[in-house]
């Protein structure tokens, strides 16, 4: 069956996930408009697409309205790591809330289907494990992470209210830890932190005792899920958990990265930050059912590709 060429807007398209999504959509033959204000996104993430006739970039902040003609919107714009979203917490909340209002308004005007990149952070520091979509979360609304957690929760509220009130076609994905090439080297996330420290033979910093666990999904698997979710029938709105259900302790991750980089780094321990979740793992049975999707990239294979990217990144600096 011939692919129907669509006009697709990707907000936050110069970021880690956004750049991978743009690449996939361009390869699929869609006309892609990438919008980013370059707060955390980087133009060099999209260098490989610059010559493509069906790719366009626009510098724009989605806290301001955008007037374009579009068939689909992937709303990925928002700093996603604590070091970035806590730098200007008011702007983080504005990006999630005002940004959602502006993109939903655009979708309403153009009758576009709209995808929201929500987050596992809507579950806060969960007291249910693993987390399924019916769990309402355990979030501190006034803590240092609340600008992101509550901003994303409010964005979900807006998406479902636009869906109920205006009949908008929405898709809401709750994204769990994702890693891979083009991660920001200074984003403070655990995979990039450990790889950068290991490649420099610097001490690897673990917050807490390292027993806390995360579930790491390789970026290619995540992009597969984004596109599959966008293509589901209109009665499927989500929210749907997207991530890898296999847990890894932070200490085990550090040791694996030291081994894969042949690093001489030693592990050091620091106090756990405020509201840092002890366990974070998705229940993806709903995604398996509606998308026939499950991550297939083994952690070691994904880490090798990510380490190669960072080696090349530091070589060319």
């Amino acid at each position: 069956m011939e692919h129907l060429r669509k006009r697709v807007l990707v907000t936050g398209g110069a970021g880690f996930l956004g750049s991978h999504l743009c690449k996939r959509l361009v390869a699929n033959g869609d006309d892609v408009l990438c919008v980013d204000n370059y707060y955390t996104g980087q133009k060099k993430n999209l260098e490989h697409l610059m010559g493509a006739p069906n790719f366009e970039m626009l510098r724009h902040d989605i806290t301001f309205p955008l007037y374009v003609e579009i068939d689909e919107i992937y709303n990925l714009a928002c700093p996603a790591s604590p070091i970035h979203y806590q730098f200007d917490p008011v702007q983080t909340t504005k990006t999630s809330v005002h940004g959602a209002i502006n993109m939903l308004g655009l979708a309403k005007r153009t009758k576009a289907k709209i995808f929201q990149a929500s987050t596992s952070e809507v579950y806060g520091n969960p007291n249910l494990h693993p987390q399924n979509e019916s769990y309402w979360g355990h979030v501190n609304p006034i803590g240092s992470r609340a600008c992101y957690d509550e901003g994303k929760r409010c964005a979900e509220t807006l998406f479902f209210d636009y869906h109920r009130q205006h009949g908008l076609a929405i898709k809401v994905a709750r994204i769990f830890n994702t890693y891979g090439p083009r991660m920001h080297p200074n984003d403070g996330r655990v995979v990039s932190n450990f790889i950068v420290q290991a490649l420099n033979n610097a001490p690897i910093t673990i917050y807490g005792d390292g027993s806390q666990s995360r579930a790491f999904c390789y970026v290619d698997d995540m992009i597969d899920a984004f596109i599959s979710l966008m293509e589901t029938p209109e009665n499927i709105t989500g929210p749907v958990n997207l991530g890898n259900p296999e847990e890894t302790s932070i200490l085990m991750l550090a040791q694996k990265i030291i081994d894969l980089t042949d690093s001489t780094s030693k592990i050091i321990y620091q106090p756990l930050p405020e509201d840092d979740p002890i366990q974070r793992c998705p229940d993806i049975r709903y995604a398996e059912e509606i998308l026939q999707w499950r991550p297939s990239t083994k952690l070691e294979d994904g880490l090798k590709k990510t380490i190669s990217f960072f080696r090349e990144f530091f070589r060319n600096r």
Side-chain angles (χ1 to χ4, degrees):
M1 192 170 135
E2 192 180 345
H3 176 75
L4 184 65
R5 187 167 182 153
K6 296 172 298 220
R7 299 165 299 178
V8 185
L9 169 65
V10 180
T11 75
F16 164 50
L17 287 175
S19 64
H20 283 274
L21 177 60
C22 286
K23 181 180 179 183
R24 186 76 64 88
L25 293 169
V26 167
N28 286 353
D30 292 319
D31 285 318
V32 178
L33 173 59
C34 163
V35 164
D36 208 295
N37 68 350
Y38 304 115
Y39 178 64
T40 57
Q42 301 175 83
K43 284 182 185 174
K44 67 170 179 260
N45 284 342
L46 297 163
E47 280 173 348
H48 55 292
L49 296 177
M50 292 306 189
N54 56 330
F55 178 74
E56 187 181 353
M57 285 176 71
L58 174 67
R59 182 189 286 267
H60 181 79
D61 186 325
I62 64 161
T63 59
F64 298 95
L66 179 65
Y67 302 101
V68 291
E69 299 307 314
I70 219 77
D71 300 309
E72 290 182 353
I73 303 167
Y74 286 87
N75 186 36
L76 274 59
C78 190
S81 69
I83 199 167
H84 289 143
Y85 68 62
Q86 289 172 348
F87 178 75
D88 188 345
V90 172
Q91 185 62 26
T92 296
T93 304
K94 280 183 175 179
T95 302
S96 284
V97 178
H98 292 190
I101 291 167
N102 287 329
M103 290 305 106
L104 288 160
L106 175 60
K108 182 185 167 196
R109 182 180 69 78
T110 58
K111 299 181 171 55
K113 188 162 37 167
I114 182 166
F115 173 106
Q116 168 67 359
S118 192
T119 172
S120 59
E121 299 294 342
V122 300
Y123 299 122
N125 189 356
N127 46 27
L128 173 76
H129 187 80
Q131 294 86 57
N132 61 46
E133 291 87 352
S134 62
Y135 177 54
W136 289 351
H138 179 228
V139 175
N140 175 0
I142 58 169
S144 60
R145 300 169 72 102
C147 58
Y148 185 69
D149 302 4
E150 296 289 29
K152 289 288 193 178
R153 284 163 71 95
C154 184
E156 286 197 15
T157 303
L158 285 161
F159 266 69
F160 280 90
D161 283 338
Y162 264 80
H163 171 67
R164 285 184 287 257
Q165 194 171 334
H166 301 297
L168 224 60
I170 65 166
K171 309 289 176 183
V172 176
R174 289 177 177 164
I175 302 165
F176 283 69
N177 290 61
T178 310
Y179 71 100
R182 296 204 287 277
M183 291 183 86
H184 197 294
N186 303 319
D187 68 4
R189 294 193 219 192
V190 66
V191 172
S192 49
N193 260 9
F194 286 0
I195 291 175
V196 170
Q197 289 168 337
L199 288 175
N200 290 311
N201 295 310
I204 287 187
T205 312
I206 286 180
Y207 296 95
D209 62 4
S211 64
Q212 67 269 38
S213 66
R214 297 290 184 271
F216 300 101
C217 183
Y218 188 64
V219 62
D220 288 355
D221 293 328
M222 185 60 69
I223 300 305
D224 288 342
F226 282 11
I227 291 171
S228 294
L229 178 57
M230 189 62 115
E231 290 174 352
T232 53
E234 280 203 12
N235 64 317
I236 293 174
T237 58
V240 55
N241 287 339
L242 299 179
N244 189 337
E246 295 179 13
E247 284 183 81
T248 304
S249 78
I250 298 299
L251 181 58
M252 188 184 300
L253 177 72
Q255 289 165 336
K256 194 176 277 287
I257 287 171
I258 288 170
D259 291 344
L260 290 173
T261 53
D262 294 321
S263 177
T264 58
S265 293
K266 298 284 183 278
I267 293 172
I268 58 171
Y269 296 88
Q270 299 282 355
L272 205 60
E274 179 190 26
D275 298 327
D276 195 52
I278 300 303
Q279 277 186 308
R280 181 55 64 67
C281 183
D283 179 335
I284 64 164
R285 285 175 293 179
Y286 184 49
E288 289 177 312
E289 177 195 332
I290 61 168
L291 308 178
Q292 284 77 57
W293 170 86
R294 189 179 177 88
S296 59
T297 307
K298 291 185 170 60
L299 180 61
E300 187 160 318
D301 294 338
L303 286 175
K304 284 177 181 173
K305 291 177 185 175
T306 312
I307 288 163
S308 294
F309 163 78
F310 277 108
R311 281 194 200 279
E312 190 67 20
F313 176 86
F314 288 121
R315 196 176 292 131
N316 293 331
R317 266 212 314 196

